């Protein structure tokens, strides 16, 4: 049975800035999609392709805390560097994914990689926040540096394109990301006039971000930069590309627990949010300059 479409949401009218290096369109929890409705996904910011121009000082987001969830940064164009209060650092380039488990608390900063910033050029990224179950919210913070060559690759027949499997499983091909609850995350590159089909559990919350191109999903047209939210009915998804297209498919088993969310902290109760703020203010997340 086809997975029913609940809504096809157009790109917001105006982008917002995150720091001075990320020009983003917010789909979650904007567009009347609550964190509860799309669990385990908490936030999705889409930096559609944009040329920031060369800069001697790399643009980005200065030091900030996180606790209780994971941040997943997917690079399409441009390069992002990061540092954290545990001493970790790294760079993601096109095709790479940075999967940070904030867990019990961390400070980090993200910014345009120095050499990329000097020359400028197109910058295109997605940041997705994934909730952690209550039992894992205090797990020690850590990173998974998932490079393009690590992704599971499903080559589509008839020169259809490729599916890079970041997490979960696509038609038998598994992704490298370790997750705390069942999550499927697919980067699909579909050639013009081609199609791809897959099945995802009916009870999983499922959506597609049309990063580039325009497509037809289960018979409904979705333009570039739109966001397709599926109902929790049916399992089968068929996608046809009217032109060269890049899609981000996200699907996950809902975490049926209370959500208490305040800025960079996502816990289960308001009391835990107060604790997180106190821990941050008292320096328990470490130091990062």
């Amino acid at each position: 049975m086809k997975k029913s479409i609940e809504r096809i949401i157009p790109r917001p009218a105006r982008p917002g800035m995150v720091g001075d290096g990320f020009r983003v369109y917010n789909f979650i929890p904007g567009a009347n999609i609550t964190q509860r409705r799309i669990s385990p996904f908490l936030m999705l910011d889409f930096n559609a392709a944009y040329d920031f121009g060369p800069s001697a000082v790399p643009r980005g987001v200065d030091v900030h805390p996180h606790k209780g969830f994971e941040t997943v940064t997917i690079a399409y164009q441009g390069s992002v560097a990061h540092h954290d209060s545990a001493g970790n650092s790294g760079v993601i380039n096109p095709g790479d994914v940075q999967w940070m488990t904030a867990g019990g608390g961390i400070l980090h900063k993200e910014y345009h990689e120095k050499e990329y910033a000097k020359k400028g050029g197109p910058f295109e990224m997605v940041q997705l926040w994934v909730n952690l179950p209550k039992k894992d919210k205090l797990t020690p913070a850590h990173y998974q540096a998932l490079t393009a060559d690590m992704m599971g690759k499903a080559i589509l027949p008839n020169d259809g394109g490729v599916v890079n499997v970041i997490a979960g499983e696509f038609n038998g091909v598994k992704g490298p990301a370790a997750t705390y609850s069942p999550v499927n995350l697919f980067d699909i590159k579909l050639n013009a006039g081609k199609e791809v089909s897959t099945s995802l559990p009916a009870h999983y919350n499922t959506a597609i971000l049309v990063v580039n191109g325009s497509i037809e999903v289960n018979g409904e047209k979705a333009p570039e930069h739109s966001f397709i939210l599926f109902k929790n009915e049916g399992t089968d998804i068929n996608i046809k590309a009217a032109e060269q297209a890049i899609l981000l498919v996200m699907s996950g088993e809902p975490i049926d627990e209370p959500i208490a969310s305040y800025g960079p902290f996502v816990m289960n109760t308001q009391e835990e949010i107060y604790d997180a703020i106190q821990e941050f203010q008292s320096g328990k997340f470490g130091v990062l300059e």
Side-chain angles (χ1 to χ4, degrees), residues 186-266:
F186 311 142
D187 164 35
I188 299 181
K189 293 175 170 57
L190 199 55
N191 291 329
K194 303 298 182 177
E195 61 184 279
V196 61
S197 295
T198 192
S199 295
L200 294 163
H203 72 287
Y204 279 26
N205 288 327
T206 301
I208 298 175
L209 173 68
V210 185
V211 176
N212 293 134
S214 57
I215 60 172
E216 185 179 287
V217 184
N218 287 355
E220 294 193 39
K221 291 182 179 179
E224 185 172 64
H225 298 173
S226 61
F227 187 80
I228 303 143
L229 179 66
F230 292 89
K231 296 179 183 177
N232 299 100
E233 299 171 357
T235 57
D236 300 340
I237 297 174
N238 175 260
I239 303 166
K240 296 178 181 177
E243 57 192 317
Q244 196 89 14
I246 298 175
L247 319 168
L248 181 65
V249 177
M250 62 199 78
S251 182
E253 185 170 54
I255 298 172
D256 189 20
E257 297 174 352
I259 298 172
S261 180
Y262 179 78
F265 309 125
V266 183

Side-chain angles (χ1 to χ4, degrees), residues 45 101 164 181 234 245 265 277:
D45 274 347
T101 303
N164 295 304
S181 64
F265 309 125
I277 295 169

Side-chain angles (χ1 to χ4, degrees), residues 6-87:
E6 182 172 312
R7 281 191 288 154
I8 296 178
I9 299 155
R11 189 183 80 177
R14 288 193 272 298
M17 290 298 297
V18 178
D20 64 356
F22 300 90
R23 180 181 179 272
V24 303
Y25 296 95
N26 175 259
F27 286 97
I28 306 171
N32 293 318
I33 305 173
T34 66
Q35 292 177 326
R36 187 85 182 168
R37 167 65 184 87
I38 199 70
S39 172
F41 309 111
L42 296 164
M43 191 277 291
L44 188 145
D45 274 347
F46 172 41
N47 191 132
Y50 182 79
D51 192 334
F52 282 92
S55 175
V57 179
R59 300 176 174 91
V61 184
D62 210 352
V63 179
H64 58 285
H66 287 302
K67 182 180 179 180
F69 63 99
E70 302 181 286
T71 69
V72 180
T73 305
I74 303 165
Y76 295 96
Q77 298 186 76
S79 300
V80 173
H82 73 90
H83 283 81
D84 72 26
S85 54

